[in-house]
Amino acid sequence: MNHQFIKIKTVSPILEVANPQFNVKEMIKHLKNSDADIIAFPELSLTSASCKDLFFHQDLITDAYHALEWLLENNPFSGFVVLGMPVLFNQQLINAALLIHQDELIGVVPKKQL
């Protein structure tokens, strides 16, 4: 009998509060040369979850979207990536999980309004 398994790796990278560009570069370090099929990062890992009122500053949201674009353009990982970030939807800021495969955003799952 042939058993096939999916290897899932959870990673808690070093994060800086309200610094998506630093955080995405830390994520890339873990994505390089991983033998996992799926790598999952923590909730709001792109911005860090402890931003509090900073979530409502447009600059942070813009920086988070730019970091996501940079990740999609520079992703060295061939598997699936799950990460968290604030997402603006219908003029509401949502805490969401994103599913990425290589250079493509596959899905967004909302958790709650921030």
Side-chain angles (χ1 to χ4, degrees), residues 19-34:
N19 191 347
Q21 195 62 38
F22 174 86
N23 297 341
V24 77
K25 288 179 181 176
E26 287 297 308
M27 291 176 180
I28 289 281
K29 290 178 185 177
H30 294 280
L31 294 171
K32 288 182 179 176
N33 304 317
S34 177

Side-chain angles (χ1 to χ4, degrees), residues 88-104:
L88 194 57
F89 180 73
N90 285 341
Q91 298 180 342
Q92 292 185 340
L93 197 57
I94 306 293
N95 174 356
L98 281 63
L99 179 63
I100 295 169
H101 184 251
Q102 296 174 341
D103 64 349
E104 188 175 354

Side-chain angles (χ1 to χ4, degrees), residues 55-56 61 86-88 91-95 112-114:
F55 281 121
F56 302 102
I61 304 309
V87 173
L88 194 57
Q91 298 180 342
Q92 292 185 340
L93 197 57
I94 306 293
N95 174 356
K112 65 179 178 179
Q113 185 175 345
L114 289 172

Side-chain angles (χ1 to χ4, degrees), residues 1-92:
M1 191 173 219
N2 185 9
H3 296 285
Q4 294 186 3
F5 295 95
I6 295 175
K7 186 172 184 178
I8 300 172
K9 180 178 181 180
T10 58
V11 176
S12 292
I14 296 170
L15 298 176
E16 287 187 0
V17 175
N19 191 347
Q21 195 62 38
F22 174 86
N23 297 341
V24 77
K25 288 179 181 176
E26 287 297 308
M27 291 176 180
I28 289 281
K29 290 178 185 177
H30 294 280
L31 294 171
K32 288 182 179 176
N33 304 317
S34 177
D35 62 345
D37 300 298
I38 301 170
I39 296 180
F41 293 100
E43 177 178 6
L44 294 168
S45 53
L46 210 53
T47 56
S48 101
S50 57
C51 286
K52 300 194 183 213
D53 288 343
L54 292 176
F55 281 121
F56 302 102
H57 288 262
Q58 185 58 46
D59 288 344
L60 177 61
I61 304 309
T62 300
D63 289 349
Y65 275 95
H66 286 210
L68 174 63
E69 289 173 9
W70 190 87
L71 174 62
L72 293 172
E73 292 169 2
N74 296 283
N75 186 3
F77 185 61
S78 62
F80 290 91
V81 177
V82 180
L83 62 87
M85 71 175 280
V87 173
L88 194 57
F89 180 73
N90 285 341
Q91 298 180 342
Q92 292 185 340

